[in-house]
Amino acid sequence: DAGVTQSPTHLIKTRGQQVTLRCSPKSGHDTVSWYQQALGQGPQFIFQYYEEEERQRGNFPDRFSGHQFPNYSSELNVNALLLGDSALYLCASSLEGGGFSNQPQHFGDGTRLSIL
Amino acid sequence: AQRVTQPEKLLSVFKGAPVELKCNYSYSGSPELFWYVQYSRQRLQLLLRHISRESIKGFTADLNKGETSFHLKKPFAQEEDSAMYYCALSGHSGTYKYIFGTGTRLKVLA
């Protein structure tokens, strides 16, 4: 099992463009979360997808949107890119905890997004 | 406000010395606390969680609700413990958001 896989590894865009990042969860996992990690910072929660719906969102503008497919894979879309969107974008998968507690997150290697 | 604070960006200790990585949190409900670790050229991975109350790689962490802390400890540091450590918080049922601290880089010197 390759675990969580993300693509692409690196991406360079210019301001105003749009980008789509992809994530395949660890085998058996049904929940996907996305994080933004700026240099020298910890991961910041963008949103989480479960059963193909966004079920919780962090403090990110509507320019950040996502999607989860029936096979549990997920996409993160960012519109109208700003210089400040330059960061490492991490995907994490987990198995739904049945509402009792949050299951540990399994992280991918991330996509390094650079905005020029 | 929900927040995780790791006051030290860098902690250097000698091999065999005790280690304590500090984590304080602010949360208005019943928190779940985690420590994640990132070794060089590896992905972020779970080290331990407070509800498991277990020791992983010699590390332990106790949730102190009175001091709102979840410090990570190890009695004798090893060189292979050198890594980036992140403390993270999540809520109980119905809350899925994870909040990470800014991380502490641990360097174990020979």
Side-chain angles (χ1 to χ4, degrees), chain A residues 46-114:
Chain A
I46 302 175
F47 41 53
Q48 185 180 87
Y49 275 83
Y50 174 66
E51 292 188 336
E52 300 180 49
E53 291 197 0
E54 179 187 299
R55 69 174 175 179
Q56 188 151 19
R57 190 178 182 92
N59 295 327
F60 280 82
D62 292 345
R63 298 186 299 108
F64 290 77
S65 63
H67 191 77
Q68 186 180 33
F69 300 93
N71 66 353
Y72 308 119
S73 67
S74 177
E75 287 181 350
L76 164 65
N77 301 293
V78 187
N79 295 323
L81 287 165
L82 304 173
L83 291 178
D85 296 332
S86 294
L88 180 68
Y89 288 84
L90 293 168
C91 172
S93 72
S94 58
L95 187 60
E96 165 62 18
F100 276 102
S101 65
N102 289 316
Q103 296 303 307
Q105 311 256 289
H106 292 247
F107 284 84
D109 290 323
T111 293
R112 173 75 60 189
L113 176 63
S114 299

Side-chain angles (χ1 to χ4, degrees), chain B residues 11-75:
Chain B
L11 182 65
S12 296
V13 301
F14 285 102
K15 178 182 172 181
V19 175
E20 183 179 51
L21 301 172
K22 291 184 167 53
C23 172
N24 288 91
Y25 67 90
S26 172
Y27 188 73
S28 57
S30 204
E32 292 198 38
L33 276 297
F34 305 80
W35 276 98
Y36 282 81
V37 61
Q38 187 166 27
Y39 300 102
S40 180
R41 286 184 286 278
Q42 293 187 27
R43 55 185 62 180
L44 197 57
Q45 59 187 283
L46 177 70
L47 180 61
L48 53 80
R49 57 191 305 198
H50 89 271
I51 65 171
S52 299
R53 303 186 67 82
E54 57 188 347
S55 172
I56 304 292
K57 298 185 178 183
F59 284 97
T60 59
D62 290 319
L63 179 60
N64 185 324
K65 291 187 177 181
E67 295 184 359
T68 59
S69 69
F70 188 57
H71 302 329
L72 183 68
K73 299 178 184 179
K74 185 171 182 177

